[in-house]
C-alpha cells in the first residue's frame, strides 16, 4: 500500500484508481497493483505520479485536516419516535449521523417530571447510539420531557447538539401548555447559573412542606448561560412556582445552603404572564454551637442567624464572671472574653429572644492573649475617611490626654474619639485638609485593655490627596415608590464603598470618591432598620427590593457626574 493525498491526484488518475480507502487525513491508500498498470501506460505518466507522491505525502509534519468541522450532530432516528404517546417500555434509543459522546450528562440532563431514580445512559464512550434506560416506574397518563442541554456533542470537534429535547407520554396525548419567566438575584447584580425552576401541583395533598421533601410535578433549569426559563409540556391546573439554586441536585429545598425564589400566589395554567423570580438566601433561625477555648482568656463560639440582642452569661457555679462579647472578623462567630481563671470549667448561657442554650465548657491551661493594634489605612487617608485602630483585645478605657494629633506645621488638630466594642475599633474623627500630613502620637498607657495591659507608645503618619484627585457623583432619583431607601455604591468585588440612607430626599450626593467604576443600587428598606433584609418562604415574605442602575458609573479624577436614576420597573 502507498499513501497519497486526495489533492495530489490529477483527475485522470482519480478516474484510473477505483479501489481505494479514503481516510480522515484526506489521503488515499492505493493498491500497488495499480502502480504496475500505470507504469505500463508510460514513463512520463509514472514520473508525474512519483513527483506528486513526493510533494503530497513525503513531507514531515502534522497532516492538515482541512476545514474545521463546526456542524452539530444530527438525530437520524429515535425509538420510540420523539413525541410518542402510549409509551409502555422502559428504554429509549437515539441514533445519530456521526459518533457522539456525552459531556456533563448528570448536570445537563433535565427530566420533567423528575424521577426518583436516575436513568442509566449508555455508552460512556463514543458511539452513534445513545440508550436511555429508566430505572423508575413511569406515572400513568403523564407527559415526560427530557432536555439534554448541551450534553450531546460530536466526538471529533465537540460541537454540541444544543437543547435537544425528547418528549413522550404514557397517555394518549402530549400535554402542550407552557410557562415562561426570568430569574434575578434579590440582592446581587449577578445571577447564579444552573437554577432549577419548579412547579408543584396544588391538590388535596399539597402543603408548604412539599418543597422540602417531595419532587415537583415539573422542573426545568436555566443551565449555565440563561437568565430566562420556560416550562413546557404542562397540563392545565393550579401550581406553586418556585426557583432553587439546587446545590445537591435533589429537587428539594435546603434552607441552610440554598437560595430560593417564589411567586407568592398560586398560578393557574394556561397563563400568558411572564413571571420574574428573585433568589435569596434565607436568614437562618438563630442558633449557637458549643464554645471552644481559643486562649487562656477567650472562647470562640459559632452561630447561625443574626446576633442582635445577643446576651452571654458566664458562671463559675453560682458566681457570675464578667465577660465581653465581640465579633470574630470575617466569620460567623463571636469571641467571649473573660479574665484568666484557675478553675476547671465555666458555664456559658446564651439568650436571644425565645432562644436559650447552656454549655458547660472545660478550661485548659493556655497562653493569654497579648495587646496589639492594627489599622486598615496605609499612610494615605481619604478626605472623608475616619481613621481607626483595631485592638487585638477589647479596650477598657483610653486617655485622650495622652493622645496628640498634629499637622505638617506641628499645629494641633482637634479630634473626637469613639470606641466600637463589638468590632474592637477605636475611631479618630477629625477634619482633613487636602495635601496635608498628620501625625497621631499615642503615649505609653494611652489605651488599656480589660486585662489591664497598657499600650506602648505609638505613632501613625497619615497623608491626604488633593481634591482634584477625587470625583463627585450626584444621583437624581425618579419614581421612588416609597421611603426610606438606602442608596449604595459598590466596587467590582461587590463591596459597599459609599452608602446614604434617606427618608425623603431624591437627590443623593457622593463626594470625594476615589476614581473607579461603580455599581449603583437602591434598596427599599421595608422595616426601616437601615439594612437589606432577606425573605422567608414559609412566612411568604419576599426579600427587600433592590434596583440596580443598568450601567457602571465611571468616576474620574476632578470630575462632577450628575446621574439620573429612574426606579420605575
Amino acid at each position: 500500500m502507498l499513501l497519497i493525498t486526495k489533492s495530489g491526484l490529477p483527475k485522470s488518475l482519480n478516474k484510473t484508481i477505483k479501489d481505494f480507502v479514503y481516510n480522515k487525513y484526506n489521503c488515499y491508500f492505493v493498491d500497488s497493483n495499480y502502480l504496475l498498470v500505470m507504469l505500463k501506460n508510460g514513463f512520463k505518466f509514472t514520473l508525474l505520479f512519483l513527483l506528486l507522491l513526493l510533494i503530497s505525502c513525503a513531507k514531515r509534519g502534522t497532516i492538515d485536516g482541512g476545514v474545521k468541522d463546526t456542524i452539530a450532530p444530527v438525530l437520524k432516528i429515535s425509538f420510540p419516535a420523539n413525541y410518542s404517546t402510549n409509551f409502555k417500555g422502559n428504554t429509549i434509543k437515539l441514533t445519530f449521523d456521526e459518533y457522539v459522546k456525552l459531556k456533563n450528562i448528570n448536570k445537563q440532563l433535565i427530566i420533567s417530571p423528575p424521577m426518583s431514580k436516575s436513568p442509566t445512559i449508555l455508552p460512556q464512550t463514543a458511539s452513534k447510539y445513545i440508550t436511555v434506560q429508566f430505572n423508575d416506574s413511569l406515572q400513568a397518563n403523564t407527559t415526560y420531557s427530557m432536555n439534554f442541554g448541551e450534553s450531546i456533542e460530536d466526538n471529533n470537534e465537540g460541537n454540541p447538539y444544543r437543547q435537544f429535547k425528547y418528549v413522550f407520554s404514557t397517555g394518549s396525548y402530549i400535554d402542550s401548555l407552557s410557562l415562561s419567566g426570568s430569574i434575578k438575584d434579590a440582592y446581587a447584580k449577578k445571577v447564579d447559573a444552573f437554577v432549577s425552576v419548579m412547579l408543584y401541583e396544588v391538590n388535596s395533598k399539597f402543603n408548604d412542606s412539599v418543597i422540602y421533601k417531595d419532587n415537583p410535578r415539573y422542573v426545568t433549569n436555566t443551565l449555565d448561560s440563561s437568565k430566562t426559563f420556560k416550562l413546557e409540556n404542562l397540563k392545565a391546573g393550579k401550581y406553586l412556582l418556585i426557583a432553587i439554586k439546587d446545590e445537591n441536585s435533589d429537587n428539594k429545598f435546603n434552607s441552610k445552603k440554598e437560595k430560593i425564589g417564589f411567586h407568592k400566589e398560586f398560578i393557574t395554567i394556561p397563563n400568558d404572564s411572564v413571571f420574574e423570580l428573585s433568589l435569596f438566601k434565607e436568614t437562618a433561625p438563630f442558633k449557637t454551637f458549643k464554645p471552644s477555648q481559643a486562649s487562656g482568656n477567650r472562647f470562640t463560639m459559632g452561630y447561625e442567624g443574626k446576633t442582635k440582642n445577643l446576651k452571654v452569661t458566664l458562671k463559675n457555679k453560682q458566681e457570675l464572671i464578667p465577660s465581653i462579647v465581640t465579633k470574630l472578623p470575617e466569620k460567623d462567630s463571636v469571641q467571649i472574653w473573660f479574665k484568666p481563671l484557675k478553675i476547671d470549667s465555666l458555664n456559658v448561657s446564651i439568650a436571644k429572644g425565645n432562644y436559650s442554650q447552656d454549655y458547660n465548657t472545660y478550661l485548659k491551661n493556655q497562653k493569654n492573649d497579648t495587646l496589639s493594634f492594627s489599622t486598615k489605612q496605609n499612610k494615605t487617608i481619604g478626605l472623608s475617611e475616619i481613621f481607626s485602630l483595631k485592638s487585638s483585645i477589647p479596650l477598657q478605657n483610653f486617655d485622650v490626654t495622652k493622645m496628640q494629633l498634629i499637622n505638617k506645621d506641628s499645629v494641633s488638630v482637634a479630634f473626637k474619639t469613639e470606641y466600637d466594642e463589638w468590632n474592637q475599633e477605636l475611631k479618630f474623627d477629625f477634619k482633613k485638609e487636602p495635601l496635608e500630613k498628620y501625625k497621631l502620637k499615642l503615649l505609653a498607657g494611652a489605651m488599656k485593655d480589660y486585662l489591664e495591659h497598657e499600650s506602648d507608645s505609638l505613632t501613625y503618619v497619615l497623608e491626604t490627596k488633593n481634591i482634584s484627585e477625587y470625583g463627585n457623583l450626584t444621583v437624581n432619583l425618579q419614581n421612588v415608590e416609597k421611603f426610606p431607601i438606602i442608596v449604595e455604591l459598590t466596587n467590582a468585588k461587590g463591596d459597599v464603598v459609599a452608602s446614604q440612607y434617606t427618608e425623603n430626599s431624591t437627590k443623593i450626593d457622593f463626594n470625594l470618591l476615589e476614581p473607579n467604576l461603580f455599581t449603583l443600587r437602591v434598596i427599599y428598606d421595608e422595616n426601616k432598620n437601615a439594612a437589606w433584609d432577606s425573605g422567608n418562604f414559609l412566612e411568604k415574605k419576599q426579600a427587600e427590593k433592590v434596583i440596580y442602575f443598568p450601567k457602571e458609573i465611571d468616576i474620574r479624577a476632578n470630575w462632577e457626574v450628575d446621574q439620573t436614576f429612574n426606579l420605575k420597573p
Side-chain angles (χ1 to χ4, degrees):
M1 280 291 188
L2 292 176
L3 178 66
I4 186 168
T5 62
K6 183 178 179 181
S7 60
L9 287 173
K11 292 182 179 179
S12 58
L13 191 55
N14 259 311
K15 293 178 181 178
T16 305
I17 298 176
K18 303 297 183 183
D19 298 331
F20 61 83
V21 178
Y22 177 57
N23 76 348
K24 65 180 180 179
Y25 298 109
N26 263 0
C27 289
Y28 289 104
F29 288 97
V30 184
D31 193 291
S32 57
N33 291 332
Y34 282 102
L35 290 179
L36 295 174
V37 175
M38 287 183 285
L39 286 171
K40 292 178 182 180
N41 288 336
F43 179 72
K44 186 180 296 186
F45 187 80
T46 304
L47 286 177
L48 176 61
F49 174 77
L50 292 175
L51 179 61
L52 291 171
L53 180 64
L54 289 171
I55 294 174
S56 301
C57 294
K59 184 165 40 175
R60 292 181 176 271
T62 303
I63 299 175
D64 187 359
V67 179
K68 184 178 180 180
D69 177 16
T70 59
I71 300 175
V74 176
L75 180 68
K76 293 180 65 177
I77 191 171
S78 58
F79 183 82
N82 206 353
Y83 291 91
S84 290
T85 56
N86 297 310
F87 184 90
K88 302 300 181 184
N90 66 346
T91 303
I92 294 168
K93 187 171 183 179
L94 309 173
T95 303
F96 295 87
D97 67 334
E98 61 178 312
Y99 282 88
V100 296
K101 58 185 177 182
L102 297 173
K103 182 179 180 181
N104 297 328
I105 186 68
N106 293 332
K107 194 169 186 178
Q108 290 278 338
L109 177 61
I110 307 298
I111 302 177
S112 183
M115 297 179 176
S116 299
K117 299 177 182 178
S118 298
T120 301
I121 303 176
L122 297 171
Q124 297 299 317
T125 56
S127 173
K128 286 189 176 183
Y129 311 98
I130 292 177
T131 301
V132 180
Q133 181 176 328
F134 299 117
N135 299 315
D136 203 2
S137 299
L138 301 178
Q139 302 175 42
N141 300 314
T142 300
T143 298
Y144 283 86
S145 172
M146 301 176 64
N147 191 328
F148 284 80
E150 296 188 359
S151 62
I152 301 174
E153 55 183 38
D154 70 52
N155 186 49
N156 289 332
E157 300 294 344
N159 299 309
Y161 187 0
R162 299 183 188 279
Q163 303 301 326
F164 167 61
K165 188 168 71 169
Y166 183 89
V167 179
F168 66 92
S169 174
T170 56
S172 59
Y173 62 90
I174 299 286
D175 291 320
S176 58
L177 299 176
S178 64
L179 185 76
S180 60
S182 61
I183 301 293
K184 63 176 289 189
D185 193 282
Y187 184 68
K189 190 174 184 179
K190 185 178 179 181
V191 183
D192 288 304
F194 292 98
V195 175
S196 294
V197 183
M198 306 171 177
L199 285 174
Y200 288 86
E201 192 170 12
V202 180
N203 51 31
S204 58
K205 298 180 180 179
F206 176 85
N207 59 61
D208 284 340
S209 66
V210 296
I211 71 168
Y212 302 95
K213 60 184 182 180
D214 294 334
N215 281 332
R217 173 68 181 184
Y218 299 106
V219 62
T220 189
N221 194 284
T222 61
L223 299 181
D224 58 351
S225 59
S226 178
K227 299 178 184 178
T228 61
F229 65 87
K230 189 170 186 179
L231 287 148
E232 297 180 297
N233 302 113
L234 313 177
K235 71 173 184 177
K238 182 186 290 187
Y239 297 92
L240 167 68
L241 173 63
I242 69 167
I244 297 175
K245 176 56 180 167
D246 193 7
E247 300 290 354
N248 57 359
S249 301
D250 65 350
N251 294 315
K252 298 175 182 65
F253 177 48
N254 184 331
S255 61
K256 290 184 178 181
K257 298 179 180 179
E258 298 171 345
K259 293 180 181 179
I260 188 172
F262 64 93
H263 193 261
K264 193 171 183 178
E265 294 80 24
F266 296 137
I267 64 171
T268 56
I269 294 176
N271 197 313
D272 293 331
S273 300
V274 177
F275 296 90
E276 183 180 69
L277 300 176
S278 297
L279 288 172
F280 58 84
K281 177 77 165 55
E282 289 186 348
T283 300
F286 185 76
K287 175 184 177 180
T288 57
F289 302 95
K290 187 173 183 178
S292 60
Q293 188 176 357
S295 70
N297 56 275
R298 174 170 55 103
F299 293 134
T300 59
M301 181 181 71
Y303 65 86
E304 292 178 352
K306 294 185 176 181
T307 56
K308 187 177 180 181
N309 300 322
L310 171 65
K311 294 182 180 180
V312 179
T313 303
L314 296 187
K315 285 185 178 181
N316 175 26
K317 297 180 180 179
Q318 299 302 316
E319 179 188 4
L320 188 65
I321 305 298
S323 61
I324 299 172
V325 180
T326 68
K327 181 74 173 69
L328 185 63
E330 300 180 0
K331 291 186 177 181
D332 290 336
S333 298
V334 295
Q335 302 178 105
I336 305 171
W337 304 83
F338 54 90
K339 292 188 176 181
L341 300 166
K342 293 184 178 181
I343 56 176
D344 294 331
S345 64
L346 275 175
N347 178 263
V348 182
S349 296
I350 309 298
K352 183 183 182 298
N354 296 325
Y355 179 86
S356 63
Q357 183 69 51
D358 289 326
Y359 301 101
N360 190 45
T361 308
Y362 293 96
L363 293 176
K364 298 177 182 178
N365 185 19
Q366 294 187 7
K367 291 183 179 180
N368 297 331
D369 291 302
T370 57
L371 181 61
S372 63
F373 296 89
S374 61
T375 177
K376 61 183 178 182
Q377 287 91 358
N378 184 18
K379 289 191 177 181
T380 302
I381 186 170
L383 291 172
S384 58
E385 193 175 2
I386 294 176
F387 179 73
S388 64
L389 284 178
K390 188 173 185 67
S391 60
S392 61
I393 301 177
L395 298 181
Q396 180 174 287
N397 56 53
F398 48 92
D399 187 353
V400 294
T401 65
K402 294 183 178 181
M403 303 177 181
Q404 183 185 32
L405 179 66
I406 59 174
N407 62 16
K408 61 186 177 183
D409 297 324
S410 298
V411 176
S412 293
V413 178
F415 64 91
K416 295 180 180 179
T417 56
E418 180 184 354
Y419 183 58
D420 177 0
E421 184 175 79
W422 178 249
N423 293 299
Q424 296 172 219
E425 288 185 354
L426 179 60
K427 300 179 181 180
F428 296 81
D429 192 11
F430 59 96
K431 184 179 179 181
K432 287 164 280 295
E433 301 292 340
L435 296 176
E436 185 61 271
K437 289 185 178 181
Y438 298 94
K439 183 180 290 186
L440 177 62
K441 295 181 178 180
L442 306 175
L443 300 179
M447 295 166 288
K448 183 187 293 185
D449 68 28
Y450 83 101
L451 294 177
E452 307 294 331
H453 299 144
E454 292 189 348
S455 61
D456 296 328
S457 60
L458 300 168
T459 300
Y460 297 93
V461 177
L462 304 170
E463 298 179 354
T464 59
K465 298 179 181 179
N466 199 340
I467 291 180
S468 62
E469 297 184 64
Y470 297 92
N472 298 326
L473 170 64
T474 298
V475 180
N476 297 295
L477 301 172
Q478 295 180 349
N479 295 307
V480 179
E481 291 180 5
K482 53 189 171 181
F483 289 95
I485 57 174
I486 307 167
V487 186
E488 293 181 335
L489 289 178
T490 66
N491 59 21
K493 296 179 180 179
D495 302 325
V496 177
V497 176
S499 179
Q500 295 267 5
Y501 183 83
T502 177
E503 296 180 345
N504 49 38
S505 179
T506 58
K507 183 178 180 180
I508 309 296
D509 292 316
F510 293 104
N511 295 322
L512 301 173
L513 296 171
E514 293 276 358
N516 208 337
L517 289 174
F518 294 97
T519 296
L520 172 65
R521 68 184 174 206
V522 169
I523 300 170
Y524 285 104
D525 188 21
E526 297 283 350
N527 59 1
K528 302 180 181 181
N529 67 345
W532 178 80
D533 289 281
S534 189
N536 186 280
F537 171 75
L538 291 177
E539 296 174 6
K540 295 297 180 284
K541 175 185 173 184
Q542 298 285 359
E544 288 183 333
K545 190 175 181 180
V546 180
I547 299 177
Y548 279 87
F549 187 70
K551 299 179 180 179
E552 288 184 313
I553 298 177
D554 187 5
I555 301 298
R556 302 183 185 183
N558 207 27
W559 271 33
E560 299 280 342
V561 177
D562 197 291
Q563 182 65 64
T564 299
F565 188 2
N566 190 344
L567 302 181
K568 188 175 181 179

